[in-house]
Structure formats: C-alpha cells, structure tokens
Amino acid sequence: MSVKTVFAIPFAKRVRKRVYKWAFQPHRTQEKVFKKLISKAKNTAFGKDHHFDKIQSYTDFKKYVPINDYEGLRSYVDRIVAGEENVLWKGKPIYFAKTSGTTSGAKYIPITKDSMPTHIKAARNALLFYIAETNDASFVDGKMIFLQGSPVLEDKNGVNLGRLSGIVAHYVPKYLQKNRLPSWETNCIEDWDTKVNAIVEETINEDMTVISGIPSWVQMYFEKLIEKTGKTITELFPNFNFFIYGGVNFEPYKNKFEALIGKKIDYIELYPASEGFIAYQDSQNEEGMLLQLNSGIFYEFIPAEDFFNEHPTRISLEDVQLGVNYVIILNTNAGLWGYNIGDTIEFTSLLPYRIKVTGRIKHFISAFGEHVIGKEVEKALNDSIKGTETNVSEFTVAPQVNPEEGLPYHEWFIEFENEPESLEDLAAKIDASMQEQNIYYFDLIEGKVLRPLIIRKVKKGGFHEYMKSIGKFGGQNKIPQLSDNRKIADVLQNFLKE
C-alpha cells in the first residue's frame, strides 16, 4: 500500500464533509453565488447592457436578463474572440472550449480563471466521494486512462482554443502524472482509429484500474483489446473495478459492457459541459448526481413542456419539484447569462439536490404531437431487453412521416451486439412501453394515426461508419438517441444489416 493510498481515504472523507456542508444549505449557497456573479459582472459590457447595477433579487434578474442560447450571446462572444476585454466577464478568458453547434457552426465557449478550477475540483471530488464511500483507494496505485480529445491547443487572439477534454488534460495533478495513460504523444493523435490502436498498444500490458470516457468510444477500445488478445477486460486488467463516464445514458450500454469486462463493476457518472461542470455521482447507493451549487453557477429551470411557450415559467432551485422534466439554464463565472445548454434534467432528490439527465430539448419526436423525449425511448429499450441475452451497441429513433405504404411510424435504428430471438417481439415490447409512458403516443396508436414502431438492424460497426461519414468520429461526439427529422435516419439507411 502506497503513501498515496494511505492518505487518500481520510482526505476524501474531509472533502466529502465540506461538500455536504454546502449541499445541505442549498438555497443559502445559491444566493451567495448569485450575488457574487452579479457583483463581479456589473461593469462588463453585458452587465451594463442588462442593468446589473439595478439587480437586487432573482425577480429583478429575470426582468433584465432574457433566456439565451449561443446565438443569443454570439455578438458578445464574437467581441471576446476578437480580443476585447470585460465583455461577458471581467478581463479575458484563459481558454475557449470549441464545440460543434447544429445551427451556429463552431462555438467558442469562454473558460475563465474563475471557472476553470471548478471543472478540475468537481472531477477530483467525484473520485474522492467514491473513495470515501467504499473506503478503498487502491486504484490510485494503478494506471488510469481517460479517453479524450487532443490536448494540442491553438491560439485565438491570445486565448488558447481547444476541446474541453483536451484543455482539462493540462490540469492532471502531479501525483497522478505517473499513473496516467495514454502518453502525451498518443493523446495528440487526431485520427480516432489510429489513436485507439495506439492506446491499445500502450495499455495492453499495464495494470489499468480506472478507465474513463464516453461509453461508445470506450466500448470500441475494449473490443480492440479483446480482438487482439482473446481475453476479457477483467483477465487483462484484474484490478479494474470502476468506470467513469458522462455525456450519455449508460443503461443501453451496460449489458454489453459487463459482457466485455467479464464481471459487474461500479460506475461513476459525471455531468461535465464546456459551459460548466454541473453534477457528479456522489454515491453508489443513491439515484442521480449531486448538483454543483458552489461552483460559480447559478441555476434556473424551465418546465420542458412550457419551454416553447411565448412566456415560459422560469424558476430558481427553491421552486423545483421531483419528477418534472426541466430545461436547465446556467449563469456562470465564465460569463454565460440565462444560458440554455439544451439539456433536460429531472430531480431525483431535493436534499441534497440530485439530478439525472433526461435528454435534449431539441432532441425529441413530435412529428404528430406525441412529444416523445429521450428518457422515454431509453427506458422502453432498457426495460425490453432486461433479463434477456440481447445487447445493444447503439441506437437512434426518428419519425417516418411518409412511408411508401401504410400508416406513419417511429423508426428505430439499432445496432445489436447480441440480437434478440425475435425482432418483432422486441419491437412489440418497446412499443408497449412507449404507449404506457406517453399518453400522446398511446392515443396516436389507438386512433390509427400511427402504427407500432419498426426496428431496422444496423450492421455491426455501422454507427461508427456513419460518424466517420459525417466527420464526427471519436472524441466527445455522440449520436442523438432521437430526433424530430430524417437527417440521421436517411443516411443510416446506407449502414443497415442485409
């Protein structure tokens, strides 16, 4: 047992105690964050334009600051990118996190000297909470891998520009540097296929104890390891006992992962975004992730069903309820104000506040007024394969509005690792779950407006081929699990199993 292991457990317990102190005083914590944000941004261009000097309460704030997306703040961001200071936040940002936008092209999300530490601290605390809960820090003596984007940064008028995961790579603590893989050189490889092959070579004979990344890309890494060695992941890495992930619902991948790994393991879910580190899983025994109330973010929430109304309901943390699907709105110490990152969440606990991500506000199906959301399709699929040998690698759902014959339907594109005995039986189970969850969908089926869903089998590796074909292979890129149009579905027709 190393010195790091000995000291990690008491340190983890002290950190957990400090975090829970603010977590169990949530409204006081958020009020302090709110006042600090307004005070520090009062003399910025945005603060002057939106009367921050008059804001004394959240009611005042809603009066002067509208809900924005990237396009709503773009004129300010463009000024920052051009080199102007004191626009959205004091001074200039220290980084731009580059993300891809569906309507905005490349987006440049500012990260400031105030906001950067919150990303690092939250990621660290997620590991410390696991140590504190399990009284096990043995993994810190092994090797850790974080599948991420390239750490190579560009210069944008004096500000470093890169992917968030690449930026974070520059902040790995010194005490973990010797444990961290892959090498800097491998991490800098841009081509994802080449990069994963290099990671396999670097890790195949190491004592891997922690593996982290988006599930679909970690799955690809696991499959390459197994193909090369003929061994399960547990046989290769016997001390690998937990997996860290974020960005997607893990449930559709869980059966496949455990088959590849060869045993059940623990999981830690994170909710990081370029705009801020929002939440992390603080317990293996509680549903949801601990909302980060003390990390320079003041949160607002809009009920998802109201979001597209002319005057949607807009509330602070004090007024949220369990079981309601909310659009999450951020106000941050990176200078994002009334900012809609596009995610929907649900609260699983109100003391402390824990959340789960339910989908994307723009990723829904309502071609016929059914208002189907991500949480519903994920639950329908998970419930339908539970207890069976069926494993799903990836899936997405789209409406088929103009079929060649018959009624319209929802079209499910699924890549199976292990196929079901009967595709028709699986489709019937999924459809029954959808009808049970969504009264609008039920009415449309009952009223013969829609017919039950149809499953299309995507060939093995088909989703990866699709992502390559659109230039979004690897890194932080993810397949939307549902969409209200045929943009993805029509291209996926080229990757079906014959």
Side-chain angles (χ1 to χ4, degrees), residues 181-326:
L181 287 170
S183 65
W184 184 268
E185 292 74 21
T186 295
N187 224 7
C188 290
I189 296 172
E190 291 288 349
D191 180 76
W192 195 251
D193 245 338
T194 305
K195 183 172 187 169
V196 173
N197 287 330
I199 292 171
V200 167
E201 293 300 325
E202 286 191 358
T203 59
I204 199 166
N205 295 313
E206 297 285 354
D207 178 22
M208 303 303 302
T209 56
V210 178
I211 297 173
S212 173
I214 290 177
S216 55
W217 305 116
V218 175
Q219 179 178 311
M220 179 181 175
Y221 163 63
F222 284 168
E223 288 169 343
K224 286 180 179 287
L225 281 167
I226 292 168
E227 182 182 353
K228 188 172 181 66
T229 65
K231 297 179 179 179
T232 66
I233 300 304
T234 289
E235 290 171 325
L236 285 170
F237 308 138
N239 294 313
F240 168 53
N241 289 312
F242 72 92
F243 170 58
I244 305 170
Y245 69 95
V248 298
N249 182 354
F250 183 62
E251 284 301 318
Y253 301 93
K254 193 170 183 179
N255 286 348
K256 175 66 183 297
F257 257 65
E258 291 183 348
L260 293 172
I261 294 167
K263 66 178 180 182
K264 291 187 180 297
I265 62 170
D266 289 335
Y267 304 96
I268 298 177
E269 183 176 7
L270 310 179
Y271 185 6
S274 299
E275 296 84 356
F277 203 118
I278 296 167
Y280 58 78
Q281 185 176 341
D282 64 313
S283 172
Q284 292 292 306
N285 301 312
E286 300 289 343
E287 183 185 10
M289 296 173 283
L290 186 69
L291 188 62
Q292 296 302 284
L293 305 180
N294 196 36
S295 293
I297 303 173
F298 177 75
Y299 298 94
E300 301 179 81
F301 305 91
I302 298 174
E305 63 181 18
D306 290 355
F307 185 76
F308 294 104
N309 294 345
E310 187 176 353
H311 300 292
T313 304
R314 184 176 172 184
I315 59 176
S316 65
L317 196 67
E318 293 185 31
D319 296 317
V320 300
Q321 299 175 3
L322 295 174
V324 177
N325 201 38
Y326 292 106

Side-chain angles (χ1 to χ4, degrees), residues 31-48:
E31 180 67 18
K32 287 168 68 175
V33 170
F34 174 76
K35 289 180 177 178
K36 190 171 183 179
L37 289 175
I38 299 303
S39 175
K40 292 197 75 169
K42 186 165 56 178
N43 294 317
T44 62
F46 188 93
K48 291 174 182 176

